[in-house]
DNA sequence: GACCGCAATATGTCTATACATTAAAGTGGA
DNA sequence: TCCACTTTAATGTATAGACATATTGCGGTC
């Protein structure tokens, strides 16, 4: 249990907050008081309080002091895995099949899915990921060929486009939308009745302001779960 | 655009990484080199690199230096709102109805949902959240009465238990599971055909090691979306 | 009393320095 | 060659002090 000093102070203050000893709105002792209390420098106290501030547990106001905050909208960290890695982690054999590959200019419908200019060059892919020979996930992807020109040369017959892109095209931001639907048009490809529930993840990836790719992953049935954990702060060392 | 120095260094290094100029595995200049490069003290450089390390962009090894990491499983920040706030943000009128309220000792089935000892005192609640008079979300909740004894006195007729708990019971960790199902048993309460797809969010909340509450939220149909954003680092100051 | 300006004060950031920790690299002997 | 030991070079954490910045509240003026 070799704790650093600032981590100890942070944990100590956090304990008083979560135990209710310092309720929301309570003013935390000033830095110089904590300095005396823990017998350390102000930098160290400041580091601990700064972490608590970034973690959202307290609010720091100049001149006024630091105050215990009421937890607001909670945010959780959602881990989104690569499909192949996900299948492997289930101990199943991974399979991949390219269903279609079309190069075209962006239509109005495409532009609802990916933010590109009208007529921008796109590669539209459909493929299926299998686990132990059974359909695991259906993937529909658009790749913006201005952002990833090398994709035009790739066949994607042997390698899923997700892994290919991650290895080659840098990106800076992504947005995920998660919803439930019924299998409908995906029913055939997934070997399901059309009314079966599916979990759909849409991911849009950007390079600065430019859209790189948009992908729709359809997972059949109630079997697939996404797991998100609340992160108490940005400080969990890896 | 008043940036602090260490934030500027961090952004600078991050830019080189995401642009591909410094590929995965590349050794980042040593702290003392960056010190010379940016004309600042080692503490400041160390702070910037420490943040990048915690953000997972680089790996720091004593004596060896800091190295660009290959992006692993990407993690996104999922904002999970209070149901009432969610309905309000849609511009709809919020309604709430308590469907059932039972106090009991934990059964084996309860213990699959919430991590408590056998026979622990629980409060089991079912309620419905409405938007403009139509069912918006069905909530099934277990409250551990050892962690939240005051809940035994609350009626939950007028106030949804989520808001009540957040205001009173401190918690430290939460886990969310997201999946798709068909409406099934929830069909009646939600006024849906049993085959309709639903998005289900299960949330377990803890106080240290002790379970506080477990809640299952069932959102009908494809209308409801969860949105998660990739966070380049844990450092977004509030 | 309402308003404005100023001083007091708590936090925010940075520097320079010191020492601790750890792991790579070098050294020497069996 | 291989192993144990020492050296060294990098990061990790802490200190004290300095200055910057924001905000509260006081006091003076109109």
């Amino acid at each position: 249990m070799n704790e650093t000093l600032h981590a100890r102070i942070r944990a100590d203050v956090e304990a008083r907050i979560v135990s209710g000893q310092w309720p929301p709105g309570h003013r935390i002792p000033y830095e110089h008081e904590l300095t005396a209390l823990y017998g350390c420098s102000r930098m160290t106290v400041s580091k601990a309080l700064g972490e608590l501030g970034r973690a959202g547990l307290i609010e720091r106001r100049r001149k006024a002091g630091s105050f215990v905050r009421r937890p607001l909208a909670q945010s959780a960290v959602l881990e989104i895995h690569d499909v192949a890695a996900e299948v492997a982690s289930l101990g199943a054999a991974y399979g991949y099949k390219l269903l279609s590959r079309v190069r075209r200019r962006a239509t109005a419908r495409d532009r609802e899915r990916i933010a590109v200019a009208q007529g921008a060059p796109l590669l539209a892919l459909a493929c299926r990921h299998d686990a132990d020979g059974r359909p695991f996930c259906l993937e529909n992807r658009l790749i913006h060929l201005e952002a990833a020109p090398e994709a035009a040369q790739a066949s994607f017959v042997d390698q899923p486009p997700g892994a290919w892109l991650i290895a080659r095209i840098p990106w800076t931001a992504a947005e995920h939308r998660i919803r439930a639907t019924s299998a409908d048009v995906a029913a055939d490809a997934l070997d399901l009745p059309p009314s079966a529930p599916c979990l759909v993840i849409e991911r849009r990836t950007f390079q600065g302001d430019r859209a790189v790719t948009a992908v729709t992953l359809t997972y059949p049935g109630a079997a697939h779960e996404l797991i998100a954990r609340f992160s108490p702060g940005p400080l969990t060392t890896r």
Side-chain angles (χ1 to χ4, degrees), chain A:
Chain A
M1 198 46 102
N2 246 348
E3 245 178 348
T4 63
L5 220 189
H6 80 260
R8 207 183 75 77
I9 297 175
R10 179 186 187 274
D12 206 39
V13 171
E14 187 171 336
R16 291 185 207 244
I17 292 173
V18 301
S19 73
Q21 184 184 340
W22 288 346
H26 180 267
R27 208 209 75 228
I28 285 176
Y30 296 125
E31 290 191 355
H32 72 263
E33 300 178 77
L34 293 174
T35 284
L37 213 156
Y38 292 100
C40 66
S41 77
R42 196 172 72 88
M43 271 295 295
T44 307
V45 169
S46 181
K47 192 170 183 181
L49 293 190
E51 288 177 356
L52 286 170
R54 279 190 293 273
L57 276 177
I58 64 174
E59 182 181 353
R60 312 195 70 192
R61 288 208 299 270
R62 280 197 163 100
K63 161 75 182 172
S66 301
F67 299 85
V68 178
R69 289 223 309 200
R70 182 170 302 288
L72 332 163
Q74 60 174 301
S75 61
V77 172
L78 183 70
E79 300 284 338
I80 297 181
H81 302 88
D82 177 55
V83 179
E86 204 174 351
V87 171
S89 77
L90 293 172
Y94 175 68
Y96 164 76
K97 188 170 186 336
L98 180 67
L99 303 179
S100 75
R101 182 186 187 283
V102 178
R103 190 176 169 166
R104 64 164 176 256
R105 306 230 150 236
T107 65
R109 262 181 84 176
D110 291 332
R111 293 177 65 210
E112 289 173 12
R113 293 175 58 196
I114 188 169
V116 295
Q118 190 166 13
L122 293 179
L123 190 64
L125 301 168
C127 51
R128 203 185 59 215
H129 305 268
D130 297 335
D132 279 342
R134 294 173 49 194
F136 180 75
C137 171
L138 190 68
E139 171 173 342
N140 273 287
R141 184 181 289 269
L142 295 175
I143 300 175
H144 184 200
L145 288 176
E146 283 172 7
E150 309 132 74
Q153 267 71 52
S155 77
F156 298 115
V157 169
D158 298 316
Q159 193 182 17
W164 188 93
L165 281 165
I166 284 191
R168 280 174 192 74
I169 312 297
W171 53 273
T172 55
E175 182 188 276
H176 302 85
R177 289 165 183 273
I178 301 148
R179 58 173 210 271
T181 61
S182 44
D184 286 341
V185 291
D188 281 348
L190 289 172
D191 195 15
L192 286 172
S195 70
C198 289
L199 189 68
V200 174
I201 302 173
E202 289 185 85
R203 173 161 60 222
R204 287 170 235 263
T205 309
F206 301 87
Q207 205 180 66
D209 285 338
R210 187 162 68 171
V212 176
T213 183
V215 61
T216 305
L217 298 167
T218 305
Y219 291 89
H224 191 78
E225 274 189 337
L226 280 172
I227 298 185
R229 263 167 241 287
F230 171 75
S231 68
L235 310 159
T236 49
T237 328
R238 311 196 177 207

